[in-house]
Amino acid sequence: MHNTKLSKFITEDDIQKRVSEIGKLLTDQFKNSKDPLIAICVLKGSFMFYSDLTRHIDLDLSCEFLGVSSYHGASKSSGEVKMTLDLSTPIEGKNIILIEDIVDTGLTMNYLLKNLESRKPKKIVTVTLLHKPDASVIPCKIDHIGFKIENDFVVGYGLDYQGYYRNLPYIAQVQNIN
Ligand code: 5GP
């Protein structure tokens, strides 16, 4: 995108190292359970993190996708969460790994947790690549965090600005965002 200046913030190597560590933790967490395991990708932002992370979970699992939108292409949260795509299967009695790209205000994660808990899964473990603790407006349960970051707008590795930059293999800050 012209007119935007990016500065690299978390390198591809650092992301991959952390993703593999979280994959090992999740493998250990679920390896003794006999209940079915479902990894849920929260679209669109977590598609890249999800596809890397699930490759590091050394267990039988099935893949499901949820679509939510909260930013509507802008750089500040609207506070509204809208489900744009639902799961294709019931999750009752199953173990769930809910995989998010970033927890900012916490509203999306809270909305998702309430929604999924009402479907009576056995257990939900939440994972986010990035967390902005200073932006939190509502406490929310996050079991695994890739990186804690400052309250700045970031793009790359699945995260967009006005639909762009999702394909970057690293995380960057946008210097001149309005
Ligand atoms: P929350 O509901 O926690 O405020 O926001 C969650 C959603 O807002 C994320 O899934 C993501 O789509 C978007 N978001 C929050 N912070 C950022 C950011 O720094 N960059 C981008 N690209 N999206 C963000």
Side-chain angles (χ1 to χ4, degrees):
M1 242 177 126
H2 46 267
N3 295 336
T4 44
K5 226 174 144 207
L6 301 185
S7 64
K8 205 181 266 195
F9 177 51
I10 307 175
T11 66
E12 188 174 358
D13 278 358
D14 286 346
I15 294 172
Q16 291 306 329
K17 197 166 154 259
R18 189 71 187 117
V19 169
S20 126
E21 285 167 5
I22 298 173
K24 284 194 188 83
L25 292 173
L26 289 166
T27 305
D28 285 347
Q29 200 163 358
F30 286 105
K31 71 181 177 207
N32 295 321
S33 174
K34 292 200 165 49
D35 298 302
L37 180 62
I38 303 183
I40 299 180
C41 174
V42 184
L43 295 170
K44 296 176 187 171
S46 46
F47 80 94
M48 207 175 271
F49 177 43
Y50 179 87
S51 70
D52 283 343
L53 181 60
T54 49
R55 276 178 272 193
H56 287 283
I57 304 173
D58 190 16
L59 298 169
D60 287 339
L61 58 76
S62 53
C63 296
E64 279 290 326
F65 300 86
L66 266 181
V68 289
S69 81
S70 58
Y71 263 40
H72 309 293
S75 64
K76 287 213 171 71
S77 179
S78 65
E80 269 172 59
V81 183
K82 196 172 83 182
M83 192 171 284
T84 55
L85 175 76
D86 203 353
L87 303 176
S88 69
T89 187
I91 58 169
E92 188 168 347
K94 297 175 182 165
N95 286 323
I96 303 297
I97 303 173
L98 181 63
I99 301 173
E100 259 283 26
D101 50 356
I102 185 162
V103 176
D104 182 18
T105 61
L107 291 168
T108 307
M109 185 63 106
N110 262 280
Y111 167 86
L112 288 172
L113 275 171
K114 272 201 194 112
N115 184 301
L116 295 176
E117 268 156 9
S118 73
R119 307 180 198 199
K120 303 196 170 28
K122 174 145 195 231
K123 180 181 182 145
I124 304 180
V125 168
T126 56
V127 186
T128 185
L129 178 69
L130 303 173
H131 182 218
K132 296 181 187 173
D134 294 343
S136 169
V137 299
I138 183 164
C140 78
K141 169 185 124 73
I142 315 172
D143 298 301
H144 301 285
I145 296 171
F147 302 92
K148 286 189 184 168
I149 63 168
E150 300 288 312
N151 198 1
D152 293 319
F153 191 77
V154 292
V155 296
Y157 198 65
L159 290 156
D160 76 312
Y161 175 54
Q162 297 188 347
Y164 290 91
Y165 303 126
R166 291 194 197 275
N167 58 321
L168 298 177
Y170 55 85
I171 307 278
Q173 282 171 331
V174 183
Q175 297 284 293
N176 52 340
I177 210 157
N178 44 31

